[in-house]
Amino acid sequence: MDKLIIEGGVRLKGEVTVSGAKNSALPILAATLLTDAPCEIKGVPNLRDTNSMFKILRALGKVVEFEKGKVSITAGKNTNYIAEYKLVSTMRASFCVLGPLLGKLKKAKVSLPGGCVIGVRPVDLHLKGMRALGADISIDSGYVIAKTKKLRGAYIYLGGVYGSSVLATDNVMMAAVLASGKTVIESAACEPEVVDLAEFLIKMGAKIKGHGTPTIEVEGVKHLQGATHTVISDRIEAGTLILASLITGGDVLIKNVQGKHLGALIDKLNEAGAHLLRTDGALRVKGRSQLKAVNITTLPYPGFPTDMQAQMMSLMTIADGISVITEKIYPDRFMHVAELNRMGAHIQREGPHAIVEGIKSLSGAPVMASDLRASASLVLAGLAAKGKTSISRIYHLERGYEFIQEKLTNLGAKVWREKE
Ligand code: UD1
């Protein structure tokens, strides 16, 4: 296992390009199960998670080739409907093969993904949606077994205790495209990655309206064709790079950014006094000596993304004043608090709130990554801290940030890997 070492205190400077969105690529790759025709997906980041999805598609009978961000997928000889535990347990997004398998093959056996360090993460909304479409669902030995003679369009309210669900919306939308008749998904997730999936499905011949709003309408079609698609840029990687520039007082031009996907983050950074200059498809971020503390509440899109909460907390550790960070999507997503405090931060957790009292500077320390975004927050803290930070279990970072070490090195950061 590798750990990442950062010698902090370097102001980042230069240009960096954001990769394609992991959270778009994963369901779009799953959607290729809806057709036997060849599909080509471009802009796919080379990550542990996308490679896990390739493995799942291969296990389900697809032939998958990946070269320089382009994935070519064709039908193989042995179509399979079982997604096994050892593959699904590595990544929750693999559960979204359920909808396409059910839509195309009328049967699916998919392992339950289980919880993870950021919380319980149930799949009740996914199953509610499939049942509403006419699937017979049972749970046996840790697997969801779904079968149907015919899926039929239905009205489905998909809101949960914490609001809409991104992957449940994806899953149900993918099952509905081949159902007979009309499906209305109410309280649908509005995230740009859901819109990107819908755009891909439309290219395949699906009839979808309302994606990007809380009401998605799907008119079922008999079959789907192959399609070519380029995934949108990764708004969470973009956001993390913006904060990397700010936390080091740097001057960075971030390319391949869709500013409209970052509204809540940019608004909060403006409130904190950050200097962001939007140009066509890029964002220039110039660090300032001192940012003001701001309060954050995570919410479904277009609210402040939970996937940026940990990184924003790192920025707030050295802002001027007190910031209250409230997590409304995953109330237990605070594993990074203790690690940031090891670096000298003053953060107190109170249930779903973290109270961050800004200090002058962080100091480098050995810390441990617990999940993908928590590891990004530790990288940011390490870049800003005085001295050396070593981050163990850095494989978490590789699940979601393509070439991150290289990208930071090109911006002048002193970052390297060592064996644990
Ligand atoms: C997706 C993202 C993840 C992001 C999350 C929230 C992908 C691959 N992952 O995950 O990075 O953090 O959205 O923006 O796109 N819930 C239920 N029942 C369900 C499903 C979800 O109660 O059946 C709850 C969850 O526990 C959570 C909330 O709904 O509290 C939102 O989760 P959801 O949007 O489903 O997250 P994912 O789609 O798994």
Side-chain angles (χ1 to χ4, degrees):
M1 253 193 285
D2 279 357
K3 57 183 177 183
L4 196 74
I5 317 289
I6 305 177
E7 186 75 54
V10 179
R11 302 176 81 159
L12 300 189
K13 218 170 174 339
E15 290 182 12
V16 62
T17 303
V18 176
S19 300
K22 165 182 90 74
N23 288 355
S24 264
L26 295 174
I28 286 173
L29 288 166
T32 64
L33 291 166
L34 286 160
T35 182
D36 291 328
C39 292
E40 213 171 75
I41 318 297
K42 297 178 192 166
V44 175
N46 190 1
L47 299 168
R48 192 179 278 254
D49 276 11
T50 46
N51 281 283
S52 296
M53 185 56 92
F54 302 159
K55 278 192 199 147
I56 289 169
L57 293 181
R58 286 184 188 120
L60 294 171
K62 290 286 191 189
V63 176
V64 182
E65 280 164 29
F66 181 51
E67 212 191 337
K68 292 188 185 143
K70 190 174 87 180
V71 189
S72 307
I73 300 165
T74 48
K77 287 197 188 96
N78 303 312
T79 304
N80 180 17
Y81 67 98
I82 302 171
E84 294 202 21
Y85 175 70
K86 69 174 189 302
L87 293 175
V88 177
S89 59
T90 59
M91 176 184 67
R92 200 184 145 75
S94 27
F95 195 67
C96 68
V97 299
L98 178 66
L101 286 177
L102 198 54
K104 177 76 166 43
L105 304 177
K106 310 281 177 276
K107 58 181 178 180
K109 181 175 171 184
V110 181
S111 169
L112 283 162
C116 65
V117 289
I118 69 172
V120 182
R121 305 190 78 177
V123 292
D124 55 317
L125 297 172
H126 300 242
L127 302 187
K128 177 184 176 185
M130 302 304 162
R131 284 195 175 106
L133 291 171
D136 175 19
I137 307 260
S138 56
I139 311 279
D140 187 19
S141 312
Y143 280 79
V144 172
I145 298 168
K147 49 187 185 239
T148 184
K149 283 210 170 71
K150 187 175 185 177
L151 292 180
R152 290 180 199 281
Y155 173 89
I156 307 166
Y157 180 79
L158 216 51
V161 185
Y162 299 103
S164 55
S165 161
V166 175
L167 288 177
T169 303
D170 290 345
N171 229 343
V172 175
M173 184 165 65
M174 288 190 278
V177 288
L178 288 177
S180 72
K182 182 173 171 174
T183 296
V184 178
I185 305 173
E186 204 68 82
S187 197
C190 302
E191 270 70 2
E193 295 78 16
V194 176
V195 176
D196 205 24
L197 171 64
E199 294 294 342
F200 175 62
L201 292 169
I202 290 167
K203 285 182 187 167
M204 294 174 87
K207 291 192 176 150
I208 302 174
K209 283 196 304 196
H211 42 300
T213 79
T215 309
I216 296 179
E217 289 180 22
V218 182
E219 191 66 56
V221 294
K222 286 225 153 50
H223 81 278
L224 294 176
Q225 68 219 19
T228 298
H229 186 75
T230 303
V231 299
I232 55 171
S233 84
D234 195 309
R235 64 193 166 102
I236 305 302
E237 188 200 343
T240 306
L241 291 168
I242 292 171
L243 298 197
S245 181
L246 288 174
I247 207 166
T248 62
D251 182 357
V252 178
L253 182 71
I254 304 170
K255 293 176 164 173
N256 191 28
V257 177
Q258 302 216 2
K260 63 175 185 212
H261 295 162
L262 288 164
L265 175 69
I266 291 175
D267 185 63
K268 277 293 162 190
L269 294 176
N270 285 336
E271 190 186 325
H275 197 78
L276 307 175
L277 209 82
R278 249 160 102 161
T279 57
D280 205 19
L283 199 70
R284 182 160 177 203
V285 187
K286 278 177 98 172
R288 285 211 347 204
S289 48
Q290 189 70 59
L291 292 179
K292 276 191 305 193
V294 288
N295 296 334
I296 304 287
T297 300
T298 64
L299 288 169
Y301 189 84
F304 192 94
T306 174
D307 284 354
M308 283 302 302
Q309 181 257 106
Q311 302 90 310
M312 193 66 181
M313 192 179 296
S314 294
L315 185 69
M316 289 298 105
T317 60
I318 53 168
D320 191 13
I322 291 175
S323 161
V324 179
I325 297 181
T326 304
E327 177 54 65
K328 287 228 171 156
I329 311 286
Y330 300 110
D332 287 325
R333 193 178 205 174
F334 286 115
M335 299 295 283
H336 41 287
V337 168
E339 301 303 303
L340 291 172
N341 281 343
R342 300 196 75 249
M343 299 178 70
H346 288 180
I347 311 169
Q348 201 184 326
R349 185 179 163 190
E350 299 271 354
H353 311 285
I355 298 142
V356 188
E357 190 190 333
I359 54 167
K360 276 225 149 36
S361 66
L362 296 167
S363 60
V367 287
M368 195 172 293
S370 55
D371 68 78
L372 169 57
R373 305 306 169 186
S375 50
S377 80
L378 297 177
V379 170
L380 295 181
L383 289 170
K386 284 194 179 132
K388 204 196 254 185
T389 296
S390 73
I391 308 173
S392 307
R393 302 197 179 163
I394 202 62
Y395 57 87
H396 287 293
L397 196 68
E398 291 158 4
R399 287 192 43 214
Y401 290 92
E402 190 184 38
F403 309 132
I404 190 67
Q405 191 186 335
E406 293 79 354
K407 286 182 183 185
L408 292 173
T409 303
N410 284 342
L411 294 172
K414 291 187 186 150
V415 188
W416 67 96
R417 259 162 220 264
E418 284 179 10
K419 287 262 170 273
E420 296 245 34

